[in-house]
Amino acid sequence: NSNYLSIRLFAFIALVSVLLLLVDRDSHPLWHSVLAILFVFLVIFLFLIGLMARLYFTPRAEEKRRQDFLSNAFHIPLTHERTIGYYNNDLTGSIDRIAAQLLENSLFTKTITRTMARRERILVLLYFAVYLLIILNRDSNLELITIASQVLFSEQALSRCIRLEWLRMRSEKIFDEVYRMFQSKPDTDNFQVQTLDFLIDYESTKATAGITLSSKLFNRLNPSLSQEWEYIKKVLYI
């Protein structure tokens, strides 16, 4: 998983940058040079991984997901790869099935992001606590403060946490709106328009957040979420 690798690599780069600052160049020139070369190599490697994830791996995965989503909704095989045990509802109309699949998707997304957010909050709080200790310490030099600022306000720390929280809140909102739509049973035209509106909202939200859901959490939560989805289907008669 490129996202998992990026997070781990970012943490290692932060550690190397601190070591580079602590190792005196005059006293230990060899170690300082080794750390400097390693730091440059890791930064370039992280850049390449991030670029490949944004321009290749993530779009490719999202394309497969959308193809599978539409294949199940319209019963037209856009791809030979089909998910098993997913998108299972008894509705017959294509728009009706899209609405049900969207409800299922948003259920999984809001639950997984909620679990992911707990870990991210702890990490950001730890980053912030260390950052405060550094900037409040009178002995901290400017280089150390600069490194701490780069770590905290980087793409992989505070920014990621904020985007993850935003994705969680938006997916919860979409789930609630689609759930209420099934409960209120609007007329056919309104149902179709609302479904497409919610679908576009969901897809644009995921694209804007740029967060890849944890496959490890998906596998761990899948049994309980599948049970919850079965209960929701019975309640809403879908």
Side-chain angles (χ1 to χ4, degrees):
N1 188 299
S2 59
N3 187 61
Y4 178 84
L5 179 60
S6 297
I7 295 174
R8 295 298 181 272
L9 187 57
F10 169 76
F12 188 59
I13 289 175
L15 176 61
V16 172
S17 63
V18 173
L19 291 176
L20 185 61
L21 180 63
L22 296 177
V23 174
D24 184 71
R25 178 182 299 178
D26 297 327
S27 302
H28 306 281
L30 178 61
W31 281 110
H32 190 276
S33 298
V34 170
L35 288 173
I37 295 173
L38 179 62
F39 177 78
V40 172
F41 174 78
L42 291 175
V43 168
I44 295 175
F45 188 45
L46 179 61
F47 167 76
L48 293 176
I49 290 176
L51 197 62
M52 290 181 65
R54 285 182 178 272
L55 299 182
Y56 179 73
F57 292 114
T58 300
R60 187 169 179 268
E62 287 298 309
E63 181 182 8
K64 294 294 183 182
R65 181 185 62 83
R66 286 192 297 268
Q67 288 177 344
D68 184 60
F69 183 93
L70 294 175
S71 295
N72 280 278
F74 291 93
H75 297 293
I76 297 177
L78 297 178
T79 175
H80 67 281
E81 299 176 355
R82 302 295 296 274
T83 53
I84 300 175
Y86 206 52
Y87 300 140
N88 48 350
N89 60 78
D90 297 328
L91 300 179
T92 55
S94 297
I95 298 298
D96 294 341
R97 291 183 61 83
I98 286 177
Q101 292 174 190
L102 177 58
L103 186 65
E104 184 179 2
N105 272 357
S106 56
L107 169 66
F108 275 73
T109 301
K110 77 183 185 74
T111 307
I112 294 174
T113 52
R114 186 188 305 141
T115 306
M116 291 174 62
R118 294 171 188 159
R119 175 182 173 277
E120 294 295 328
R121 291 170 197 150
I122 295 174
L123 286 176
V124 169
L125 285 175
L126 288 175
Y127 283 140
F128 191 71
V130 173
Y131 179 73
L132 285 179
L133 289 175
I134 292 174
I135 64 174
L136 294 177
N137 186 357
R138 295 181 179 180
D139 296 329
S140 298
N141 56 41
L142 182 59
E143 289 82 0
L144 185 58
I145 294 175
T146 301
I147 292 174
S149 300
Q150 290 175 339
V151 170
L152 178 62
F153 297 102
S154 67
E155 184 76 10
Q156 297 293 341
L158 186 59
S159 172
R160 173 180 167 81
C161 184
I162 293 174
R163 289 184 287 113
L164 180 58
E165 293 285 3
W166 183 75
L167 176 59
R168 176 189 60 80
M169 291 186 294
R170 293 289 298 175
S171 58
E172 288 176 351
K173 179 176 179 290
I174 293 171
F175 174 83
D176 292 339
E177 289 175 336
V178 177
Y179 190 94
R180 284 195 295 268
M181 181 180 68
F182 272 106
Q183 284 184 317
S184 61
K185 294 182 174 60
D187 60 75
T188 302
D189 290 340
N190 278 315
F191 185 89
Q192 293 178 346
V193 170
Q194 290 181 48
T195 296
L196 295 178
D197 183 42
F198 293 145
L199 177 62
I200 293 172
D201 192 13
Y202 176 77
E203 293 295 334
S204 63
T205 294
K206 289 198 65 178
T208 302
I211 297 291
T212 302
L213 299 184
S214 169
S215 57
K216 182 179 179 180
L217 280 178
F218 173 84
N219 293 329
R220 178 161 66 87
L221 297 174
N222 186 38
S224 60
L225 284 173
S226 297
Q227 289 182 355
E228 184 176 355
W229 174 240
E230 290 298 324
Y231 173 76
I232 291 173
K233 288 198 299 180
K234 291 179 181 179
V235 172
L236 298 179
Y237 301 103
I238 58 177

